[in-house]
Structure formats: C-alpha cells, structure tokens
Amino acid sequence: MTIAPKETLGFFMVVSDYMLRAIELAETARGQTGTNPLVGAVIVKNGQIIGEGYHHFYGGDHAEVDALKNTRESAAGAEMFVSLEPCCHHGKTPPCTDAIIAAGISKIHCAMVDPNFRVGGNGIRILRNAGIEVTVGTREREASQLNQAYIKYIITGLPFVTLKVAQTLDGKIADINGNSKWITSEKSRHRVHQLRSQSDAVLIGGNTARLDNPQLTSHGAGDKDPMRLVLSKRNHISNNLRLLTDNVYGKTILVTGPSSAQNEPVGDEPSGFDVWRLPVDDHGNVDLVELLRFAGKRQIMNLLVEGGAEVFSAFIRRNLIDKYLIVTAPKLLGNGKAWFSDESRPIDEALALRIDRTYAVGGDLWIEAYPR
C-alpha cells in the first residue's frame, strides 16, 4: 500500500483520516510482526502531524513508542491516533501505556479494543485513570480487517486460513492432463509470491507437490519465505522435489498420520526436514482441525492454502476457510480439473460467499470473499 509522506497531509484532516493514516502505516509491516498485531500510530498537535510510527517487527518497539521516538517536538498536550488499544503489560517490550502517560499525551483515539486477555480494555482504563481522554471506535471496521488473523488467533489459538485458487473463467485449475502452468499472469503470480512472504505457512497436498513440483517460496518478492506444509496420507516425499532440494532453515514439513506398520517408511530425511504425525479422521485423512490446532501451537497465525482440489474441498467441507482469494484468468479450458468437488447440492444449498473486494492484476480478476 502506498503511503503519502507526512508533509503532504494537510492541516484540515479529520479524526477518521488520522486513524486511516495509522492503519496504513500498520499495513507496511504485514508479515513481519509474527503473532503480534499490526499497529500504527500518529501523533497530532495543533492540527499538524508531529510524529508517526508502527510496529516494524516482532520484538521491536510498538507503534506508540515508535511514534513518540519520531516526534519533531514535545508530545505534551498532543493527541495520539492508534489502530489498536495500547498494551499495558510487560512482554518483549514495556507497557505502551507507561510511555504515553510519561510523554504527556492528552487524548488517545483507539480504533478498537485489543482482544488479547492481557489487555482487553485494561489499557484504556489505565489511560483514563491517568487523566487521559480516550475514545474508541474510529475506523473500527478497517482496523478489525487489518488484524483479522490476529483477532482469530488470539481468541481461538487457530491460524487464519486463506484459500488461494488460480482458475480459468470456467472454473478450471488445470487441463485434462493436469497441466496448470500458467493459468494466471506473471503479475498475478508475483502478487502471490508477496502473499507467501506475508504468510507464516503455505499448505498444499501431496499430489500437488508431486505433480507440480513447486517451490512455494516468495521468489524474492518479500523479506521472508513461509513454512511449507505438505499434507499427505503417504508419509513419503521424494527427495528430488524442489520443496526439499530448495529447503532452507528446515521450512518444509510433511503432515501425515500416525506411524504404523502399514505406512510407507520415510526415506533419508534431508537436513532440517521434519514430519508432523497427527490424528486422522474416519477416512484415514489427517484431521484438519487437529492440524490447525497443532499449527497454532507453533505460532502459525496466517495459513495460505494453495491446493490442490482435494485439499481445497476438504477444507471447505469442514468450514475451515476464513477467506477466499479467487484469481480468475480470462481464459476458457472446457474440459479440465475443477477446484471444488462436493456431493451434489441443490441450488438453494449452494455455498454462499460474501464478496468484499474485486480488482484487476495483470489482466486477471482478483476476488476477495468471505463465507457468509
């Protein structure tokens, strides 16, 4: 997201504009804050922005402290606009409420209350008890969407699951021979690489790993690569797959069922390669709820599911998708592989989605949607 330099922001900005600015600042750190929320802060005095900041990375200064360090004059008597309630507990950094009070801030505008039980309104209470005026709710919808993954994770302990599918206009993800390279444009693929960098983990099925032989990295489009999860009944992945030959820092993990005499043995494991053995359902497939619980315990907050059709369908049937990213290329395949298969449904029982945004990237139509 492009952020205008603070010098271009006019004197007549209103409260919601300052908050939007804080949210825009927060967005710049997506993918860098671990299980912490994305937070931005703007300090305003006499109608002018005198300081801005955001939470840059996990373990670094929080947005409020970053903004206070960046002020060009004393913040005493100023107002602060922050996209999330200031923290009031000791973690990797001291409480932001202490820094705000010490700086002499006179008024705080919070977009939303922090759902973290260690905060949960306590930061607001502490600030008010210190004589600071606090308002809550400005740009709350935008702030909630900014931190939708954090909100789910902090409340449930489960990752926020995004399903990303690249399809033709007639809903196919591959031709009848299984070829899928390339359905979408180069610009769309670059955008997907950025999304991977912003995700903690990417998940595909074993068949997709074997047939497509993907890397599932950010290809240099971001500052980091995600953990790469391969979901498969079979507990074996060929050592020749790029997921393993290109493996860095032990980021490729096979997710399979418990070890048993019937399972194929895992071959020589490359350095850093790991296996998650999880409970299975009645059909012998890895229990996806258990997978999400296990991933959450390993601080995976954002999970990007990239295929294939069996994996998509399994997550959808279990109602485990939080967000859909449907990338549609202006192409027709006719016969080919569909990305969602289910038992036949009558039209009045069709899975309903709520479209939130549509936009074009490289000639492809991107649809962001949520389950109704």
Side-chain angles (χ1 to χ4, degrees):
M1 181 180 294
T2 302
I3 299 179
K6 61 187 177 183
E7 289 78 13
T8 70
L9 298 173
F11 181 85
F12 295 107
M13 290 177 69
V14 298
V15 168
S16 61
D17 292 332
Y18 290 125
M19 190 64 78
L20 182 59
R21 174 70 173 173
I23 291 170
E24 289 174 339
L25 288 164
E27 176 67 38
T28 63
R30 186 170 294 280
Q32 304 302 314
T33 61
T35 54
N36 282 352
L38 295 165
V39 186
V42 173
I43 301 174
V44 178
K45 192 173 185 178
N46 298 322
Q48 293 286 345
I49 293 176
I50 64 167
E52 295 181 333
Y54 62 96
H55 183 38
H56 291 249
F57 57 89
Y58 185 74
D61 286 337
H62 288 189
E64 300 91 327
V65 172
D66 190 46
L68 287 168
K69 288 182 176 180
N70 291 332
T71 54
R72 61 173 183 258
E73 61 181 271
S74 170
E79 298 180 46
M80 178 180 284
F81 297 78
V82 61
S83 59
L84 187 70
E85 175 186 6
C87 72
C88 55
H89 61 279
H90 283 272
K92 290 186 177 295
T93 59
C96 291
T97 49
D98 289 356
I100 291 168
I101 293 169
I105 296 290
S106 64
K107 187 173 183 177
I108 294 284
H109 302 270
C110 300
M112 61 176 288
V113 174
D114 190 338
N116 189 328
F117 74 93
R118 293 181 295 178
V119 187
N122 289 323
I124 293 169
R125 177 182 54 79
I126 289 170
L127 293 171
R128 285 174 174 164
N129 288 343
I132 298 174
E133 184 180 352
V134 181
T135 69
V136 181
T138 302
R139 295 283 187 179
E140 184 174 11
R141 184 185 68 83
E142 292 92 335
S144 295
Q145 188 161 35
L146 170 77
N147 275 309
Q148 56 190 352
Y150 167 76
I151 293 169
K152 180 186 179 184
Y153 182 79
I154 208 69
I155 292 174
T156 69
L158 302 176
F160 185 88
V161 180
T162 300
L163 183 152
K164 189 282 297 179
V165 58
Q167 65 167 11
T168 60
L169 200 57
D170 53 347
K172 304 301 190 296
I173 59 173
D175 63 23
I176 57 175
N177 297 314
N179 298 316
S180 61
K181 297 181 179 179
W182 295 106
I183 287 177
T184 55
S185 67
E186 183 176 351
K187 288 184 178 179
S188 282
R189 298 197 299 274
H190 179 75
R191 174 65 183 134
V192 171
H193 298 158
Q194 292 175 323
L195 289 171
R196 289 175 185 165
S197 177
Q198 296 167 0
S199 302
D200 300 310
V202 175
L203 182 144
I204 61 172
N207 286 337
T208 299
R210 288 183 282 270
L211 292 173
D212 292 353
N213 196 16
Q215 288 177 290
L216 297 184
T217 67
S218 66
H219 294 265
D223 295 328
K224 67 179 181 66
D225 288 330
M227 184 181 296
R228 296 172 287 185
L229 307 181
V230 180
L231 179 64
S232 181
K233 278 186 180 182
R234 301 169 59 196
N235 63 340
H236 176 70
I237 298 179
S238 168
N239 286 352
N240 295 325
L241 292 181
R242 296 165 74 188
L243 284 166
L244 297 181
T245 59
D246 298 341
N247 193 15
V248 181
Y249 307 122
K251 286 188 175 180
T252 298
I253 295 176
L254 174 64
V255 183
T256 189
S259 178
S260 70
Q262 288 74 36
N263 281 346
E264 298 177 25
V266 176
D268 294 335
E269 296 180 359
S271 177
F273 179 52
D274 199 3
V275 178
W276 290 357
R277 298 190 182 277
L278 302 177
V280 296
D281 59 24
D282 294 340
H283 303 287
N285 299 309
V286 171
D287 188 312
L288 297 181
V289 173
E290 291 299 324
L291 166 58
L292 295 182
R293 288 174 181 158
F294 197 82
K297 290 177 181 178
R298 277 143 188 82
Q299 297 190 321
I300 294 175
M301 189 169 78
N302 286 281
L303 175 63
L304 184 64
V305 177
E306 288 206 46
E310 291 183 13
V311 172
F312 289 153
S313 298
F315 271 87
I316 293 171
R317 289 190 196 107
R318 295 295 304 274
N319 297 315
L320 298 176
I321 301 300
D322 296 299
K323 181 179 181 179
Y324 291 80
L325 278 177
I326 303 171
V327 187
T328 304
K331 300 174 182 177
L332 298 173
L333 264 179
N335 291 332
K337 191 172 184 63
W339 61 273
F340 175 48
S341 59
D342 203 351
E343 66 279 0
S344 179
R345 296 185 182 209
I347 190 64
D348 58 352
E349 293 181 13
L351 181 65
L353 304 181
R354 174 182 61 82
I355 295 178
D356 185 67
R357 290 181 64 206
T358 61
Y359 48 93
V361 176
D364 301 324
L365 176 65
W366 281 60
I367 300 173
E368 297 186 12
Y370 297 86
R372 284 194 182 273

